[in-house]
Amino acid sequence: MKTYNKFVDYYDEIIRWNWYDVDSEIFFVNELIENNYLETNKKNIEILEFACWTWTIARELEKKWYSVFWVDLSEQMIEKCNNKNKFIIWDMTTIDLEKQFDVVLCNFNSICHLNSWEDWQKFFKNANKHLKKWWILIFDILTIFEFENITSDFRWFFNVKGDTICLEMFKEEQYYKWLIKMFINSSKNNFELIEEEIKEISFPVEDIKKELENTWFKLKHLEDFHFGEVNDESERVYFVVEK
Ligand SMILES: C[S@@+](CC[C@H](N)C(=O)[O-])C[C@H]1O[C@@H](n2cnc3c(N)ncnc32)[C@H](O)[C@@H]1O
């Protein structure tokens, strides 16, 4: 399975700081955890973040909650991680930490990087296995509507520290494929081109809801991020489900 390798050097600046308002996302996730915390009044909330990548979110959550443990497939990630005791490189569909947490989080359409429905099913089962009873799994998707929008006309250029980065997305069968071209300014305007391709996929919200119920989860909250109620034109949808 492939993840972003070279793009790691540009990811935060381009995706996290340019594309989305990450502070409002951190506030939102914190509120979701807080609501559950107030219901149970449990102390020392332990969070497991799947697909944490550059731990933008985990780093902030750790300021508020008792502990955050991170899992990601990316080996580049470990180099960026300041606490290697709390981080493991593994596939989130198969990992078994032999421990249960209060919250399992999989943020920023990371689940869409699992390229088959079978892997999504495995992910739900594995998340369930790592959760304490009455506690919550939080994840979000980019909807099919949003991927179709992006692939209809999308080409972005960025300049980061003298390098030029081009992001495009194409549809290929049922997949949505990022093509990332990095023109690296190696010396005096000699540019070296490095390319990476990342495939994503999405499924209808109703199918996901049914599968969650089949995996013994109860849907607690469904939200179109920034817009509220989910509809056919929702772009990014958060699911909060209870074990
Ligand atoms: C969009 S990035 C995640 C961003 C991060 N969660 C955030 O909020 O900024 C997607 C991440 O999923 C990870 N990933 C993809 N497939 C995975 C798998 N099977 N198991 C664990 N991590 C995976 C990639 O390495 C990448 O870090």
Side-chain angles (χ1 to χ4, degrees):
M1 210 172 312
K2 197 169 181 320
T3 175
Y4 311 84
N5 289 333
K6 186 64 191 159
F7 190 52
V8 65
D9 296 336
Y10 308 98
Y11 180 89
D12 275 347
E13 188 156 342
I14 291 178
I15 305 292
R16 273 348 214 132
W17 312 130
N18 267 305
W19 195 2
Y20 270 102
D21 172 6
V22 76
D23 289 337
S24 73
E25 197 173 304
I26 290 161
F27 181 81
F28 177 74
V29 171
N30 260 330
E31 255 196 350
L32 295 173
I33 299 173
E34 178 95 25
N35 290 342
N36 226 60
Y37 161 75
L38 290 175
E39 273 176 32
T40 62
N41 216 5
K42 184 179 180 306
K43 302 276 180 297
N44 299 342
I45 299 295
E46 292 181 298
I47 300 171
L48 170 62
E49 186 178 4
F50 281 144
C52 56
W53 192 229
T54 47
W55 47 278
T56 318
I57 298 285
R59 189 173 38 209
E60 295 304 316
L61 296 180
E62 257 208 334
K63 292 181 186 161
K64 188 169 164 75
W65 306 104
Y66 181 65
S67 77
V68 184
F69 193 90
W70 314 315
V71 175
D72 199 284
L73 259 192
S74 160
E75 284 177 16
Q76 281 70 14
M77 168 71 206
I78 194 97
E79 287 158 25
K80 296 194 173 269
C81 184
N82 68 346
N83 186 344
K84 297 183 175 47
N85 296 327
K86 295 172 86 182
F87 180 79
I88 189 162
I89 298 172
W90 210 276
D91 185 330
M92 61 188 173
T93 61
T94 57
I95 193 165
D96 185 358
L97 293 166
E98 297 181 354
K99 178 174 162 62
Q100 292 187 317
F101 296 79
D102 302 301
V103 176
V104 174
L105 173 67
C106 185
N107 193 57
F108 206 41
N109 66 289
S110 297
I111 189 171
C112 299
H113 293 67
L114 301 175
N115 285 162
S116 71
W117 182 240
E118 290 69 33
D119 277 350
W120 284 47
Q121 290 174 310
K122 279 194 217 159
F123 169 82
F124 294 139
K125 285 209 177 87
N126 211 21
N128 193 289
K129 181 157 105 185
H130 285 91
L131 260 183
K132 291 181 190 157
K133 185 77 182 143
W134 312 122
W135 277 87
I136 49 171
L137 162 66
I138 304 171
F139 68 95
D140 66 306
I141 60 163
L142 287 188
T143 60
I144 294 173
F145 174 81
E146 173 66 346
F147 276 126
E148 292 289 331
N149 258 343
I150 298 176
T151 44
S152 68
D153 183 15
F154 184 84
R155 183 165 297 120
W156 262 7
F157 288 91
F158 299 90
N159 213 303
V160 182
K161 296 178 215 124
D163 302 335
T164 302
I165 315 298
C166 172
L167 278 186
E168 294 170 283
M169 183 174 252
F170 303 98
K171 189 167 180 185
E172 200 177 83
E173 297 168 350
Q174 74 270 44
Y175 304 109
Y176 303 95
K177 195 175 75 179
W178 290 109
L179 174 60
I180 306 169
K181 289 186 191 142
M182 290 159 276
F183 298 88
I184 316 261
N185 194 346
S186 41
S187 66
K188 294 202 177 123
N189 291 339
N190 277 329
F191 285 88
E192 181 193 356
L193 171 62
I194 296 180
E195 291 188 354
E196 277 180 358
E197 288 182 3
I198 305 288
K199 267 203 252 171
E200 296 199 53
I201 196 168
S202 192
F203 297 101
V205 169
E206 283 309 312
D207 293 2
I208 299 169
K209 277 163 68 179
K210 271 194 211 126
E211 186 57 33
L212 287 164
E213 282 162 21
N214 288 341
T215 325
W216 314 286
F217 280 118
K218 186 176 122 204
L219 184 66
K220 279 197 94 163
H221 189 69
L222 190 68
E223 183 161 337
D224 179 334
F225 190 53
H226 286 320
F227 299 104
E229 202 167 317
V230 173
N231 61 47
D232 291 346
E233 299 197 349
S234 294
E235 297 171 0
R236 188 173 173 202
V237 173
Y238 265 95
F239 293 75
V240 183
V241 291
E242 180 184 279
K243 179 166 174 178

